[in-house]
Amino acid sequence: MRIGVQRFVDRRFCVFCAVILLFGTAPALAEWKTGAAKVLITPDQPLWMAGYGGRDHAAEGKLTDLWAKALVLEDGRGCRAVLITLDLVGLDRKLSQSIREAVAKSQGIGADRVSICVSHTHTGPVVGQNLAPLHYLLLDEQQRQWIDQYAEQLQLKILEAARLAAEKLAPSRLSWGSGVAAFAVNRRENPEANVPQLRTQNKLVGPVDHDVPVLAVSDAAGQLKTVLFGYACHATVLSFYQWSGDYPGFACSELESLHPDCIAMFWAGCGADQNPLPRRTVELARHYGRQLADAVDTVLLTSQLEPVADRLEASYREVSLRFDTLPTREQLQQESQSATKQLAARAQMLLKRLDAGEPLSDCYPYPIAVWRLGNEVTLVMLGGEVVVDYSLLLKSQLSGKRTWVAGYSNDIMAYIPSRRVLLEGRYEGADAMVYYGLPTRWNQQVEETIAGAAVEMAGKTAQEMERTAETSQPKSP
Ligand SMILES: [Zn+2]
């Protein structure tokens, strides 16, 4: 109800702006206002680390810090949205909703205008219930307490980052460009050990998305204040026991050292089937970070940026994503005795829910957010670990390189295969569902459901922008 009321207030304010512009009594057309801030989220305790099933003990120290960053955008009509980026592997639905609602309340907007995107670094901590079967049977009581405390502190720190960002709101100019970086490799199609040779021979195969989208935010004097950039590739260069932001963290540090007073924010694309290869050394993580920062800097320094008009439309929807045939209680009871730890953990978790009277649902409320900036740039934010096919498909159907499709947004509940990957099966198509604690694979409508809804939402935000732009135009006498 509160969200509904807030949306009404937002809309009423926008209509008010349109009306005063229509009657010619408004001041000169306003401009973007933005503010950005960052807050440390490196754990104080030696927490269990997230992302790999083979880990057998907690973190041992820190290579680099982890950050929560917030960008508050407000268009010329006063319509606001908040983007949060986190150096974490993932967030579960419950925690993400709680954080989005708290941020929205503190900013006086609806939760549908707050998006949280993670970098998917595999050298970050376990957060809430995300990927719970990976460590469900391994954690002692002390670890569980620390994990709960970390989630509580994380929410407060993100609220603090959003508050600081809003305090810094100031007139800004936005511009958009797209660069390229080539270290992401389709991991389903190229055996990891052969990648160096295949790369040398120019024989790497499989779909990839090497675009590097850049949203540059400058102050009124033209000074770069925030740069938001992305890449469609797993943050899995490192797999050891030290906290780090992996290659996205190094890319942000590099950009922030090249551009003092600028906050660099990374959001991961549809890189679920993409790995940075070769990998596994700190030098390579730094190297890929520098490559990505160079790609961003090339866009910034060579005037490949186009101005973005000061208009924002934001929409959010949860679509029912259906599962394949659900397992029976008997099947789960059998699985709960499995020698494979994660399989047993998933079955035990699901049986616990059944015993509590909570039947398994045949679908999942899958989150999609679409923001439109200046009637040119389309930002699609999809939940889960999304394979690259979605990025290529949505870019081809929307505004090409003026579209960015972020994965790992708002709820990282599972891998999201395309129909092709689902039918091929293997890890991203089926097996990884176990690690997310979901009962079975998605059904064959997965791509149609998500891509269809995203395209429809993008169309509606574009129409809404055109409609409000028309009513904002001063009429000739
Ligand atoms: Zn992953």
Side-chain angles (χ1 to χ4, degrees):
M1 178 58 81
R2 187 180 56 71
I3 293 169
V5 169
Q6 189 57 53
R7 287 178 67 176
F8 171 70
V9 172
D10 288 346
R11 191 160 296 164
R12 197 176 56 177
F13 182 72
C14 295
V15 169
F16 169 71
C17 295
V19 167
I20 58 171
L21 285 167
L22 186 66
F23 287 94
T25 52
L29 194 63
E31 55 192 352
W32 284 109
K33 283 188 181 150
T34 73
K38 61 180 190 176
V39 170
L40 268 180
I41 55 166
T42 317
D44 297 324
Q45 312 286 3
L47 262 71
W48 208 269
M49 302 180 86
Y52 293 112
R55 286 205 172 100
D56 58 8
H57 62 277
E60 292 170 340
K62 173 180 86 175
L63 175 68
T64 67
D65 273 315
L66 307 176
W67 296 92
K69 299 176 182 177
L71 172 63
V72 178
L73 293 168
E74 194 175 282
D75 76 4
R77 304 166 300 166
C79 296
R80 187 181 287 195
V82 181
L83 180 71
I84 310 286
T85 62
L86 302 172
D87 293 338
L88 293 176
V89 81
L91 273 188
D92 63 70
R93 173 178 166 80
K94 191 174 158 201
L95 181 58
S96 175
Q97 276 187 329
S98 168
I99 295 172
R100 289 175 59 230
E101 280 168 16
V103 169
K105 191 175 172 192
S106 73
Q107 300 279 324
I109 57 176
D112 55 351
R113 289 175 164 266
V114 178
S115 269
I116 306 177
C117 301
V118 302
S119 71
H120 201 49
T121 175
H122 280 47
T123 38
V126 166
V127 185
Q129 289 301 303
N130 185 241
L131 288 163
L134 280 182
H135 39 78
Y136 184 72
L137 300 172
L138 299 171
L139 301 180
D140 59 22
E141 197 44 42
Q142 175 69 83
Q143 273 294 334
R144 288 180 198 278
Q145 272 181 25
W146 282 343
I147 287 166
D148 289 346
Q149 284 166 10
Y150 183 79
E152 282 170 28
Q153 289 163 4
L154 180 69
Q155 174 152 336
L156 296 175
K157 287 177 177 178
I158 292 171
L159 268 170
E160 175 71 354
R163 186 186 67 76
L164 292 170
E167 272 181 16
K168 291 205 254 171
L169 270 178
S172 307
R173 296 173 194 166
L174 265 61
S175 47
W176 179 267
S178 184
V180 67
F183 59 84
V185 175
N186 190 303
R187 70 185 193 184
R188 291 171 63 85
E189 306 293 336
N190 304 279
E192 184 160 343
N194 302 347
V195 164
Q197 191 187 1
L198 292 170
R199 195 186 282 284
T200 310
Q201 297 169 343
N202 213 14
K203 285 185 177 168
L204 288 168
V205 292
V208 293
D209 178 2
H210 285 163
D211 286 350
V212 179
V214 178
L215 181 70
V217 180
S218 307
D219 64 13
Q223 184 73 33
L224 187 69
K225 301 302 284 183
T226 312
V227 62
L228 172 66
F229 65 103
Y231 195 53
C233 183
H234 259 88
T236 52
V237 180
L238 300 173
S239 58
F240 57 11
Y241 286 85
Q242 294 182 46
W243 306 125
S244 96
D246 208 281
Y247 78 81
F250 282 115
C252 288
S253 305
E254 179 77 4
L255 285 164
E256 289 176 358
S257 69
L258 288 167
H259 303 277
D261 298 331
C262 170
I263 291 182
M265 299 172 69
F266 173 85
W267 51 352
C270 301
D273 49 350
Q274 312 287 311
N275 267 341
L277 298 177
R279 56 181 179 167
R280 300 302 189 217
T281 69
V282 172
E283 289 72 23
L284 278 167
R286 271 205 187 93
H287 177 66
Y288 296 142
R290 274 198 306 268
Q291 273 192 35
L292 195 49
D294 277 351
V296 174
D297 230 22
T298 301
V299 175
L300 294 173
L301 298 174
T302 58
S303 304
Q304 295 176 37
L305 289 163
E306 292 177 21
V308 178
D310 58 326
R311 299 298 299 277
L312 166 69
E313 290 291 338
S315 61
Y316 177 87
R317 191 187 291 177
E318 289 177 0
V319 295
S320 290
L321 210 55
R322 299 186 72 82
F323 293 114
D324 201 354
T325 309
L326 293 174
T328 62
R329 176 181 276 274
E330 291 66 35
Q331 285 168 325
L332 289 174
Q333 277 164 341
Q334 210 170 13
E335 252 184 25
S336 70
Q337 306 301 316
S338 168
T340 308
K341 264 195 210 120
Q342 289 97 358
L343 209 57
R346 190 229 348 221
Q348 288 176 31
M349 290 170 72
L350 293 175
L351 283 168
K352 206 168 155 185
R353 275 165 47 187
L354 287 178
D355 291 344
E358 191 188 328
L360 300 182
S361 175
D362 62 359
C363 60
Y364 190 93
Y366 179 82
I368 304 174
V370 176
W371 294 4
R372 183 101 173 170
L373 306 183
N375 209 23
E376 293 150 358
V377 174
T378 308
L379 308 175
V380 181
M381 290 161 265
L382 301 176
E385 301 205 41
V386 186
V387 300
V388 76
D389 294 356
Y390 285 88
S391 168
L392 301 175
L393 175 72
L394 290 171
K395 283 182 185 180
S396 74
Q397 296 198 2
L398 300 174
S399 49
K401 286 184 190 290
R402 284 179 177 159
T403 299
W404 178 240
V405 189
Y408 306 92
S409 304
N410 294 319
D411 175 7
I412 296 82
M413 80 305 285
Y415 271 79
I416 304 297
S418 58
R419 184 178 166 83
R420 173 184 70 85
V421 172
L422 185 87
L423 293 177
E424 286 173 7
R426 310 204 306 267
Y427 186 77
E428 296 85 355
D431 302 347
M433 297 302 263
V434 172
Y435 307 113
Y436 279 99
L438 294 177
T440 186
R441 69 169 75 186
W442 301 113
N443 90 351
Q444 291 189 16
Q445 303 305 309
V446 60
E447 179 179 322
E448 202 178 315
T449 307
I450 295 172
V455 169
E456 188 190 324
M457 289 168 72
K460 282 192 175 160
T461 56
Q463 277 170 12
E464 183 63 12
M465 193 161 272
E466 276 168 30
R467 192 187 65 76
T468 53
E470 276 166 23
T471 54
S472 302
Q473 290 295 323
K475 296 252 167 77
S476 325

